[in-house]
Amino acid sequence: MPLRIFMIYSYVGALFWVSLFVVTGYELGIKWYFIKQSFEAYKIIVYFGVSILLSIVALLFFFRTKKKKP
């Protein structure tokens, strides 16, 4: 891929992501305390889910790298 095309795609993608996060932050910034209180009850469930997901990823990585070694 030519450098010029790559730079155009990169800048357009970066502009999209930055705009998306700025607008999302602006819209949620007004309601942040309400959102925080709403999800406070689910904090333990989220922590448990993330820990299970990370454990699965770690086990998959461990077993896949173990098989590749002779």
Side-chain angles (χ1 to χ4, degrees), residues 12-70:
V12 169
L15 180 65
F16 171 75
W17 278 109
V18 168
S19 300
L20 178 73
F21 285 111
V22 166
V23 169
T24 303
Y26 179 75
E27 291 296 323
L28 291 180
I30 299 168
K31 305 168 192 165
W32 182 250
Y33 292 109
F34 175 73
I35 294 170
K36 184 178 176 185
Q37 289 173 352
S38 298
F39 285 107
E40 190 70 30
Y42 301 108
K43 185 175 15 176
I44 299 297
I45 296 170
V46 170
Y47 288 159
F48 183 72
V50 168
S51 65
I52 294 295
L53 183 65
L54 288 175
S55 299
I56 291 171
V57 169
L59 287 173
L60 287 174
F61 179 76
F62 175 73
F63 286 120
R64 287 187 184 199
T65 56
K66 188 176 181 181
K67 288 181 183 178
K68 290 182 181 178
K69 294 180 181 177

